[in-house]
Amino acid sequence: LFKEYCVIKAAGKNLCFEASKRRSSRSFYVTLEKCNPNMRRQKWREHTPSLSTSPNSSPVMNRPPVGSIPPVPSTFIKLQAVKRKKGKDMCLEVRDSEKRNGARVWSAKCIDTNAQRFAFQDGELQSKLDESMCVRPVGDEPRENDKVELWECKDTDTSFLYDCDGEFCMIKVVDYDLCLIGGNGKRLKKCDRGQTNQQWYNQQD
């Protein structure tokens, strides 16, 4: 299908333009995701026939420096909330280590458990408990104050973006301007980078 295509890559970063799974009424949204040579949604062709494309060319988008940016995690790591609760470090967790559709996802004291390990794979927030299970907002249409839960990845059409700027990151629901809150994090709020309860670290084991 893609005899001649290009990838649009951020300069100096392993991030590429990707057409989102979700779309508006007339077009697809585009997000920056970890580059994946096997991902069809990251392959682009010029629309105008008179313009030539080369399979070896890769247009580069200039991106301004934003300081020290933690890498977008593609392997399983802990997601630790910047905001602490009663002096305790809090991590995103699948409650009671349940591996079922509808299992609750919340913030709990950081401990050594696969229930607190997640990875961002092709826009999905995947659980280490069962790699076929992903985090998604409860309900068909994500809204502010919605909780999040575990669900089979193949039936999950909500994409998450790990948006890093400076020394912390935000866990965003693509296309909805909603972010997961930490501390007592189990709900979605309108994204606000100034809110510490929306700020997360990568906690390495």
Side-chain angles (χ1 to χ4, degrees), residues 3 14-15 33 99 116 158 168 180 186 190 196:
K3 293 182 179 180
N14 190 31
L15 296 173
E33 304 289 350
K99 307 175 191 176
Q116 292 185 359
T158 301
F168 64 84
L180 191 61
K186 56 183 181 291
K190 185 175 180 179
T196 56

Side-chain angles (χ1 to χ4, degrees), residues 104-165:
R104 185 178 176 185
V105 178
W106 66 344
S107 290
K109 180 182 176 181
C110 296
I111 59 174
D112 184 17
T113 172
N114 282 339
Q116 292 185 359
R117 290 182 175 87
F118 299 87
F120 291 82
Q121 299 284 359
D122 300 329
E124 294 178 325
L125 184 52
Q126 191 177 42
S127 172
K128 179 66 172 176
L129 282 173
D130 184 336
E131 296 183 22
S132 69
M133 306 293 286
C134 292
V135 178
R136 75 164 193 177
V138 174
D140 296 329
E141 189 80 6
R143 294 180 176 87
E144 191 169 12
N145 295 317
D146 276 357
K147 297 179 180 180
V148 291
E149 63 186 358
L150 206 63
W151 207 267
E152 289 182 83
C153 299
K154 64 182 180 65
D155 295 328
T156 301
D157 58 2
T158 301
S159 296
F160 281 90
L161 174 66
Y162 200 57
D163 182 22
C164 300
D165 184 1

Side-chain angles (χ1 to χ4, degrees), residues 178-191:
L178 296 172
C179 289
L180 191 61
I181 63 173
N184 61 342
K186 56 183 181 291
R187 295 183 183 273
L188 298 171
K189 291 290 185 182
K190 185 175 180 179
C191 294

Side-chain angles (χ1 to χ4, degrees), residues 71-88:
V72 177
S74 59
T75 57
F76 289 97
I77 51 94
K78 290 183 181 179
L79 296 169
Q80 179 182 332
V82 170
K83 187 173 182 179
R84 307 179 81 206
K85 184 177 181 181
K86 296 181 180 180
K88 298 178 181 178

